[in-house]
Amino acid sequence: MRYSSEHKTKTRSRILDQAGLLFRRKGYGGVGIDEIMGAAKLTRGGFYGYFKSKAELFTEIVRDEAGLGRMMRRRTGSSPKELHAEAAETLTGYLDPKNANVIAKECTLASLPSDVTRSGVKSAKDAYTDKILELAHEYDRTRTGKLPAPDANPSPEALAAVILSVGGFSIARAMNDDALSKGMLDAARDKALELLR
């Protein structure tokens, strides 16, 4: 039986959705093809009709990054003042301890850096690098009102804001002291926003 292209597209999306959730929760090494396909309510044999390998699937998850980068790209402001106000709103939500579980499930940038490194999948590292650069360019857009050229080097301020926002979330999430974790998230947000003025 031949499936329509619409059916194939929906099935591929279902695999990507479930794999993304599993990779962000358990890491690259903690998830196998059987578990991914089971979560998508499909058989293992169907996997290879959509992806050549687990590494290729992982790269797609990193490339299709959900989370902070996507939220920053959705901003509609055109001036630095408008973009900064939207960035403040976005980072306040992103770095709010109440949202940590949701962010951990959705943000590839914050959830998977160690897994990208440990996986040894070069294409995943390339995709992760691209997503970090896209976020840095969004941060530079906040400062200038214009999106830099894709091959432009991000400013030191934008790179530091990436480290504060993504790294701040990752570190705070690993801590068992709620007050210290919140203090770290607040400091990361405030300093990142200061750098983006």
Side-chain angles (χ1 to χ4, degrees):
M1 175 179 170
R2 295 183 73 91
Y3 291 110
S4 69
S5 60
E6 182 181 346
H7 175 81
K8 288 179 181 178
T9 300
K10 284 182 180 178
T11 301
R12 188 175 196 278
S13 290
R14 201 161 79 214
I15 296 168
L16 285 166
D17 289 345
Q18 293 305 312
L21 289 171
L22 288 167
F23 283 138
R24 286 188 288 272
R25 193 173 79 217
K26 296 183 170 188
Y28 180 76
V31 180
I33 293 171
D34 288 338
E35 185 175 5
I36 291 166
M37 295 304 280
K41 299 192 179 0
L42 298 164
T43 62
R44 179 189 175 94
F47 177 85
Y48 296 99
Y50 297 93
F51 302 97
K52 292 177 186 167
S53 64
K54 178 179 154 183
E56 180 184 60
L57 173 60
F58 185 61
T59 298
E60 283 298 309
I61 297 302
V62 175
R63 186 175 291 120
D64 292 343
E65 163 270 326
L68 183 56
R70 185 189 64 217
M71 290 186 275
M72 294 299 287
R73 284 191 300 277
R74 287 183 176 165
R75 295 175 302 156
T76 59
S78 56
S79 71
K81 183 177 180 180
E82 293 168 338
L83 290 165
H84 193 277
E86 289 177 272
E89 186 178 328
T90 299
L91 286 176
T92 296
Y94 184 81
L95 296 172
D96 186 328
K98 290 182 237 157
N99 298 329
N101 288 334
V102 173
I103 298 300
K105 289 178 189 170
E106 294 183 359
C107 188
T108 302
L109 291 178
S111 298
L112 291 177
S114 296
D115 287 283
V116 168
T117 301
R118 280 192 296 259
S119 73
V121 178
K122 183 187 179 311
S123 56
K125 282 185 105 170
D126 293 343
Y128 191 87
T129 301
D130 290 345
K131 291 301 171 183
I132 289 290
L133 286 171
E134 285 177 17
L135 178 59
H137 286 154
E138 278 297 325
Y139 283 162
D140 273 330
R141 181 169 76 105
T142 303
R143 297 174 63 243
T144 65
K146 295 182 291 189
L147 194 61
D151 60 347
N153 288 326
S155 69
E157 294 83 2
L159 292 173
V162 168
I163 293 165
L164 286 163
S165 52
V166 176
F169 176 84
S170 296
I171 293 168
R173 181 173 152 235
M175 298 169 59
N176 69 356
D177 182 325
D178 292 345
L180 183 58
S181 178
K182 183 180 182 326
M184 181 174 284
L185 291 169
D186 289 345
R189 179 200 62 227
D190 293 348
K191 191 49 121 173
L193 289 169
E194 182 184 316
L195 288 165
L196 297 179
R197 288 200 184 281

